[in-house]
Amino acid sequence: MNNLLIFFALPIATIILAGIFQTIIKCPYKIAGITFAIYLIVAFALGGTAELIIAAIIYTILAFLTALLVMFFENNSNTNSCSNTANNSCSNTSINSCINTRTNSSCGCSCRNR
């Protein structure tokens, strides 16, 4: 039962929650930090074994990769749905910086500032 929780339930929950939080927070680094903090607190509350701490690190990497994928799909859907492509200056994205969530009026489709 414990293996089923570690290898199936927690990774699925991590993927789902990371995707949801990415659409709200819009920063993969913050998602990874929040995930690591939560899993680290739980790991130490349950005894702080090496297995739990390694699982916390693996779940953090999984959350970060999920947030990057969601950010990639969000950015592609924003750039493909623009009707004014001549004035679309928001198509370049940077993974290394968090996205500003305010809209930019100079973009053709009200893309977020990057």
Side-chain angles (χ1 to χ4, degrees), residues 32-105:
I34 292 169
T35 304
F36 184 67
I38 290 171
Y39 279 124
L40 197 63
I41 290 170
V42 170
F44 281 117
L46 294 177
T49 63
E51 178 182 310
L52 292 174
I53 295 172
I54 291 172
I57 293 169
I58 291 171
Y59 295 149
T60 301
I61 293 169
L62 182 65
F64 180 71
L65 293 176
T66 302
L68 283 178
L69 277 172
V70 170
M71 184 179 75
F72 176 74
F73 287 129
E74 283 180 343
N75 288 339
N76 278 347
S77 67
N78 281 343
T79 58
N80 291 337
S81 65
C82 291
S83 60
N84 186 2
T85 57
N87 198 17
N88 185 10
S89 62
C90 299
S91 61
N92 295 330
T93 60
S94 174
I95 293 177
N96 295 327
S97 64
C98 295
I99 298 172
N100 189 357
T101 58
R102 290 176 286 164
T103 58
N104 185 1
S105 61

